[in-house]
Amino acid sequence: MDRPDRKLSRRNFLLAGAGGVAATAAVIAAKGSQGEPKKTDVAGGSKGYHVTEHIRKYYNTAKV
C-alpha cells in the first residue's frame, strides 16, 4: 500500500522539476530577445571612462 503514495509523490516531484526547468528556460529566452544595447557617441571623441548621469545615480545609491 505504500507504493501508490510513493508514485504520486515522485510524480509530483518530477512535474514540479519540469515546471521549474520550463520557467527558467522562458526567463533565459526573454532576456536573450532584448537585443544588444545601443551604442551612444561620446561628445568630443574621447574614449575610456567617463562619468554619466547614470553613473552618478549609482554612486549616490551605493554610498555607505
Side-chain angles (χ1 to χ4, degrees), residues 14-39:
L14 292 175
L15 286 173
V21 170
T24 303
V27 169
I28 291 172
K31 284 186 177 182
S33 67
Q34 291 177 352
E36 294 185 25
K38 295 180 182 177
K39 293 183 179 182

Side-chain angles (χ1 to χ4, degrees), residues 3-26:
R3 281 252 182 217
D5 292 335
R6 218 173 187 183
K7 282 187 179 181
L8 289 177
S9 174
R10 186 180 304 149
R11 184 177 297 152
N12 288 338
F13 173 77
L14 292 175
L15 286 173
V21 170
T24 303

Side-chain angles (χ1 to χ4, degrees), residues 1-2 4 17 22 25-28 33 37 39 44-45 48 51-53 58 62:
M1 290 217 152
D2 227 16
V27 169
I28 291 172
S33 67
K39 293 183 179 182
V51 178
T52 61
E53 184 62 29
Y58 170 77

Side-chain angles (χ1 to χ4, degrees), residues 50-63:
H50 55 280
V51 178
T52 61
E53 184 62 29
H54 173 72
I55 294 173
R56 282 188 209 104
K57 287 181 183 178
Y58 170 77
Y59 286 152
N60 286 334
T61 58
K63 286 183 182 178

